RNA sequence: CGGGCUGUGGCUCAGCUUGGUAGAGCGCUGCGUUCGGGACGCAGAGGCCGUGGGUUCAAAUCCCACCAGCCCGACCA
């Protein structure tokens, strides 16, 4: 049954059978993360955390390069701080974890019970605008103290109803940038600049193309004047917000008292921004590039870029094979891929060769190298790329591979981007009337919906009622309103009213 | 927070209707055979059957309560 074996995929079900289940299975098979006993929370395992660490390191460098510095603010926010900005509280009220006691006591039944109620409850940060604002208020007196350009790497808690690994968990890791500026124009420019950083990062490092734009009023961050986002398409053709950047106007500086004497000598409230990206990106990465054999990692973000698998069928050649593997690893580590030493691992575990090979396939390591006795004789290696068929192998001299390694990684990175972009473009459509719009977003099989839809570019008047109606009918929302001046006036496909431009509609995570 | 379903070795589940010695497959450990490949054989380890209460001579099984998880809604990065 060679055919059956050849068509067998490492992950069951396949993406086209049940995408949601496929996603869970991939994460488990690749050992990225697992659900914990704590409701809605996950354990991020080394391979998944390694991906996050790479994202952190690379994003952090970009923040530094744009003049930002890291700092750290408290996990707990006094309820009174949090409640100052009316829209902000309202937006987050339903998903706050609140600390109300400071100790445990053993009760009559021998059970531990909270005691010593706090004078003021503390909210576990769902986001830090208010607590950071309290510090900024102390730091800012003069226009000379501005801008403040600070980022924080932290965990936050949002008591969501329906958690999914990486995409939506009660606790998640993220970075949140919080800046203060002396003028509206400067703050608005900062918002755009960071959106651009995000777009660049996701495109060049994660190999995922995005659309960027402004959120509609209904999707805006609670308390923001303007929310920008980047929107990626994953393989079930749904949209996923990969990063956001908010222009907060003076809303938060007013409530936090961030005030300064401006160049004219007058008191003025600071103009603030905030922007963030989270571990959700790991899930995005999985859904954007993964295949029916598991995760497929872009080389730039892979914790291990090249894994070397020693083939040791005979005891007498074992030592030599391992030595050759170590030697190759050393050479590779001495060479660079995008300015950093190549990350190599020799998998010496005492396991069946096939098992090992498949483990790395499922983990999505970009390049697998096999070295066995026959390779030793010819001083060659066998290479497999994760962006190509699992069975595909390329043979070359060891020295040649050392020379080419960086190029191979680059080629995989490019290939993944091109593939993702083609998928996105193939499933993005201009739509000019309501019927086509509804057809586009309606699955043929309503009992077991197949993968359908995508991004629809359609004119919209900006009416909130229409937005609501579409959401109720199709679960489709405005993902973003593209920026830029390539806008073309048209007519809203739902109402016929004038529209200034097409906006991007999709079902979203 | 509403509506439905499910809690049994690490994982997926059978057993429950009709109460009577706790099971299978995968995984794990050991030995052997294979092996440029997710192989096979044999032997083994591992379970307060979600928690608490009740009925009963006897409860994984029947009854009640609670807790947790999954799916479908409302909420969201």
């Amino acid at each position: 049954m060679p055919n059956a074996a050849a068509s067998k995929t490492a992950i069951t079900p396949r993406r086209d059978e049940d995408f949601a289940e496929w996603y869970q299975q991939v994460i488990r098979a690749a050992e990225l993360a697992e659900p914990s006993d704590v409701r809605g929370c996950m354990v991020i395992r080394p391979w998944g955390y390694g991906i996050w660490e790479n994202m952190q390191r690379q994003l952090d460098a970009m923040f530094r390069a744009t003049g930002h510095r890291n700092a750290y603010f408290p996990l707990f926010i006094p309820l009174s701080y949090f409640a100052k900005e009316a829209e902000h509280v309202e937006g987050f009220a339903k998903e706050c974890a609140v600390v109300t006691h400071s100790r445990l006591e053993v009760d009559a039944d021998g059970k531990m019970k909270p005691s010593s109620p706090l004078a003021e409850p503390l909210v576990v940060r769902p986001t830090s605008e208010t607590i950071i604002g309290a510090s900024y208020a102390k730091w800012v007196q003069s226009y000379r103290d501005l801008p403040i350009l600070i980022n924080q790497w932290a965990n936050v808690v949002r008591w969501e109803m329906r958690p999914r690994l990486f995409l939506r968990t009660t606790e998640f890791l993220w970075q949140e940038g919080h800046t203060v500026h002396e003028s509206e124009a400067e703050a608005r420019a900062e918002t755009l600049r960071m959106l651009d950083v995000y777009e660049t990062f996701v495109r060049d490092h994660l190999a995922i193309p995005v659309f960027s734009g402004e959120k509609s009023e209904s999707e805006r961050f609670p308390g923001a004047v303007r929310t920008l986002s980047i929107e990626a398409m994953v393989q079930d053709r749904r949209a996923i917000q990969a990063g956001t950047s908010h222009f907060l106007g003076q809303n938060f500086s007013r409530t936090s008292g961030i005030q300064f004497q401006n160049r004219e000598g007058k008191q003025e409230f600071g103009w603030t921004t905030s922007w963030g990206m989270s571990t959700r990106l790991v899930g995005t990465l999985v859904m954007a590039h993964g295949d029916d054999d598991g995760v497929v990692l872009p080389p730039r973000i892979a914790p291990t870029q090249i894994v070397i698998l020693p083939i040791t069928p005979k005891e007498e050649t074992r030592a030599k094979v391992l030595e050759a593997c170590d030697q190759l690893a050393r050479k590779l580590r001495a060479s660079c891929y995008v300015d950093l030493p190549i990350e190599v691992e020799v998998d010496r575990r005492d396991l069946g060769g096939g098992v090992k090979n498949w483990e790395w396939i499922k983990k999505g390591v970009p390049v697998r190298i096999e070295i066995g006795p026959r390779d030793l004789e010819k001083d060659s290696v066998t290479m497999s790329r994760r962006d190509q068929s699992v069975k595909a192998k390329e043979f070359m001299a060891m020295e040649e591979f050392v020379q080419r390694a960086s190029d191979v990684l680059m080629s995989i990175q490019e290939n993944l981007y091109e593939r993702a972009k083609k998928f996105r473009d193939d499933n993005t459509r201009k739509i000019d009337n309501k019927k086509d719009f509804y057809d586009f977003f309606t699955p043929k099989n309503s009992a077991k919906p197949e993968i359908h839809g995508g991004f629809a570019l359609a004119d919209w008047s900006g009416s909130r009622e229409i937005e609501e109606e579409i959401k109720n009918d199709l679960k489709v929302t405005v993902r973003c309103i593209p920026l830029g001046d390539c806008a073309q006036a048209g007519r809203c496909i739902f109402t016929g009213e004038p529209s200034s431009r097409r906006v991007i509609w999709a079902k979203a995570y």
Side-chain angles (χ1 to χ4, degrees):
Chain A
M1 302 241 297
N3 284 338
S7 63
K8 184 185 167 197
T9 58
I11 304 296
T12 330
R14 283 180 276 113
R15 286 163 294 175
D16 59 353
E17 291 170 326
D18 184 344
F19 194 81
E21 182 61 24
W22 166 84
Y23 175 74
Q24 308 235 82
Q25 294 305 329
V26 169
I27 293 201
R28 184 219 284 254
E31 297 183 345
L32 295 180
E34 63 192 19
S36 82
D37 293 340
V38 185
R39 176 194 180 287
C41 294
M42 64 176 168
V43 173
I44 306 179
R45 304 184 64 178
W47 189 248
Y49 199 74
I51 293 171
W52 176 241
E53 283 181 309
N54 280 343
M55 289 182 183
Q56 272 187 304
R57 199 178 60 228
Q58 293 163 29
L59 256 182
D60 202 62
M62 294 172 86
F63 295 156
R64 261 193 94 79
T66 43
H68 302 84
R69 293 297 179 264
N70 289 328
Y72 189 79
F73 298 86
L75 167 67
F76 302 119
I77 304 179
L79 190 55
S80 58
Y81 284 31
F82 196 74
K84 280 178 192 165
E85 218 291 334
E87 276 185 34
H88 192 63
V89 224
E90 207 200 311
F92 285 105
K94 280 173 278 180
E95 52 192 54
C96 284
V98 186
V99 179
T100 53
H101 292 75
S102 65
R103 57 187 293 190
L104 290 170
E105 273 177 8
V106 182
D107 69 5
D109 306 329
K111 285 184 180 163
M112 300 301 278
K113 284 238 167 108
S115 75
S116 287
L118 301 183
E120 179 177 7
L122 298 170
V123 176
V124 179
R125 64 180 164 222
T127 179
S128 303
E129 276 73 10
T130 56
I131 189 76
I132 291 181
S135 285
Y136 286 181
K138 294 181 205 158
W139 298 350
V140 175
Q141 271 111 50
S142 151
Y143 70 89
R144 291 195 178 91
D145 297 325
L146 299 175
I148 292 183
L149 304 173
I150 284 179
N151 175 65
Q152 152 166 287
W153 290 97
N155 57 341
V156 285
V157 167
R158 296 184 188 176
W159 216 261
E160 302 286 1
M161 286 296 109
R162 295 188 51 188
R164 293 189 68 186
L165 291 175
F166 289 113
L167 300 180
R168 190 179 302 110
T169 45
T170 301
E171 179 190 14
F172 57 97
L173 307 181
W174 78 345
Q175 63 62 219
E176 45 180 331
H178 294 271
T179 68
V180 193
H181 307 263
E182 65 171 304
S183 72
E184 172 172 4
E186 196 183 306
R188 283 187 183 273
E190 167 79 0
T191 316
L192 282 168
R193 178 167 67 153
M194 296 323 288
L195 189 75
D196 191 57
V197 164
Y198 286 160
E199 186 171 350
T200 303
F201 172 73
V202 171
R203 183 190 60 221
D204 294 349
H205 297 245
L206 306 189
I208 300 172
V210 293
F211 283 118
S212 62
E214 181 175 354
K215 283 293 188 187
S216 68
E217 190 192 339
S218 63
E219 300 256 331
R220 197 176 286 155
F221 176 75
V225 174
R226 188 182 202 210
T227 288
L228 307 178
S229 77
I230 55 173
E231 302 283 331
M233 183 190 289
V234 291
Q235 291 178 79
D236 62 351
R237 303 190 210 161
R238 285 166 73 181
I240 184 159
Q241 181 174 310
T244 49
S245 183
H246 315 290
F247 170 62
L248 304 174
Q250 293 174 310
N251 294 348
F252 284 88
S253 60
R254 231 175 236 119
T255 53
S256 299
I258 307 172
Q259 221 173 6
F260 66 99
Q261 199 166 17
N262 66 18
R263 287 166 202 262
E264 283 80 51
K266 290 181 185 147
Q267 286 297 311
E268 184 174 348
F269 287 110
W271 298 85
T272 66
T273 79
S274 68
W275 26 274
M277 269 193 171
S278 72
T279 36
R280 180 178 236 207
L281 281 177
V282 178
T284 307
L285 198 63
V286 170
M287 292 196 293
H289 297 305
D291 64 18
D292 295 332
D293 291 318
V295 175
V296 178
L297 290 175
R300 291 193 76 170
I301 218 73
T304 297
Q305 293 160 327
I306 300 175
V307 66
I308 301 174
L309 302 163
I311 310 289
T312 53
K314 294 180 214 119
E315 202 49 49
E316 54 273 27
T317 50
R318 189 183 166 81
K320 280 201 162 160
V321 167
L322 288 173
E323 194 193 314
C325 290
D326 287 337
Q327 196 187 1
L328 175 61
R330 276 197 299 276
K331 283 184 183 167
L332 289 169
R333 287 186 189 117
S335 52
C336 286
Y337 166 62
V338 234
D339 301 335
L340 286 170
I342 294 177
E343 290 292 335
V344 191
E345 184 172 336
V346 179
D347 187 351
R348 333 169 61 102
R349 289 175 304 164
D350 180 25
L351 280 176
V355 176
K356 268 201 255 192
N357 195 32
W358 279 102
E359 272 187 24
W360 290 106
I361 290 167
K362 287 184 276 193
K363 281 177 180 291
V365 81
V367 175
R368 305 187 303 283
I369 292 294
E370 297 175 5
I371 299 180
R374 291 213 292 270
D375 298 293
L376 277 195
E377 286 165 23
K378 294 175 291 182
D379 198 32
S380 69
V381 300
T382 307
M383 176 184 83
S384 305
R385 295 169 49 146
R386 188 59 181 88
D387 63 335
Q388 295 175 353
S389 153
V390 164
K391 301 284 175 198
K393 291 179 176 185
E394 204 176 325
F395 308 91
M396 67 188 85
M398 196 177 288
E399 230 9 81
E400 187 192 346
F401 177 68
V402 173
Q403 295 306 315
R404 279 182 52 192
S406 169
D407 290 343
V408 168
L409 294 172
M410 213 171 295
S411 147
I412 295 172
Q413 181 84 26
E414 275 173 26
N415 189 22
L416 292 185
Y417 178 78
E418 290 307 326
R419 204 194 270 181
K421 181 154 190 314
K422 181 170 189 309
F423 182 85
R424 199 267 314 260
D425 292 345
D426 285 350
N427 293 294
T428 299
R429 197 156 305 165
K430 287 185 177 177
I431 290 185
D432 294 312
N433 63 70
K434 187 171 177 175
K435 181 178 181 303
D436 288 353
F437 188 94
Y438 272 66
D439 286 349
F440 186 60
F441 286 115
T442 306
K444 292 191 170 59
N445 179 354
S446 58
K448 189 176 177 296
E450 75 282 2
I451 291 174
H452 65 282
F455 285 178
L457 305 176
D459 277 288
W460 169 56
S461 64
S463 151
R464 200 158 176 172
E465 290 72 43
I466 291 294
E467 214 182 348
E468 197 59 31
E469 185 184 318
I470 301 299
K471 188 175 175 180
N472 289 337
D473 287 358
L474 300 170
K475 293 184 198 157
V476 169
T477 49
V478 175
R479 296 326 301 155
C480 68
I481 304 159
L483 304 168
D485 29 53
C486 50
Q488 246 187 333
R491 297 215 160 263
C492 174
I493 66 164
F494 306 107
T495 63
E497 291 171 288
S499 142
S500 59
R501 66 186 324 140
R502 288 175 191 268
V503 303
I504 299 167
W505 299 83
K507 294 187 184 179
Y509 273 97

